[in-house]
Amino acid sequence: MSVKPTPRVRVPTQAKPGELIEIKTLISHEMESGQRKDASGKIVPRKIINTFTAQFNGKTVFEAEWNPAISANPYQSFFYKASESGEFAFLWKDDDGSVYESKHKLTVA
């Protein structure tokens, strides 16, 4: 793969108690399905991100399983009801065992 996967996340830094916030994530990743052939006719091995997990203060708040049909550079958004200050941890797991992580703090006041 020519580009190292790079996660990008948009999380508000502050929210009011009970406020519904939108979280947007995108990861730069080629998402090879394993169904293409290279120039020499060999099958290009499958390499996709198969699991996306969002945790808040160590507790899973959102999880998605992705399959080969997911696009390159997958985008995922979801809503979260802010109730306390803490830290989000976003994890993308790849077929080869690689894990890409991004952390962001949220202050509820």
Side-chain angles (χ1 to χ4, degrees):
M1 187 158 51
S2 59
V3 178
K4 182 181 180 211
T6 307
R8 288 178 267 173
V9 178
R10 270 202 184 156
V11 177
T13 55
Q14 292 187 318
K16 296 177 182 173
E19 182 179 355
L20 198 60
I21 60 171
E22 185 175 16
I23 297 168
K24 299 176 181 181
T25 70
L26 181 129
I27 186 162
S28 301
H29 192 284
E30 293 176 350
M31 303 292 275
E32 186 55 59
S33 70
Q35 298 175 357
R36 268 185 341 110
K37 294 182 180 180
D38 62 14
S40 65
K42 293 181 183 175
I43 293 178
V44 178
R46 176 181 145 141
K47 183 168 170 54
I48 67 165
I49 294 175
N50 54 49
T51 308
F52 168 75
T53 306
Q55 299 175 341
F56 187 72
N57 289 338
K59 194 175 189 182
T60 299
V61 295
F62 184 87
E63 188 169 39
E65 288 185 21
W66 294 340
N67 296 295
I70 195 83
S71 68
N73 308 317
Y75 170 82
Q76 181 74 62
S77 70
F78 62 97
F79 291 90
Y80 178 76
K81 188 173 185 177
S83 58
E84 63 181 339
S85 296
E87 184 175 64
F88 281 101
F90 303 97
L91 305 164
W92 294 263
K93 294 180 183 176
D94 208 323
D95 281 343
D96 67 1
S98 299
V99 177
Y100 312 102
E101 185 175 12
S102 184
K103 293 186 177 189
H104 295 270
K105 292 186 186 273
L106 173 68
T107 302
V108 176

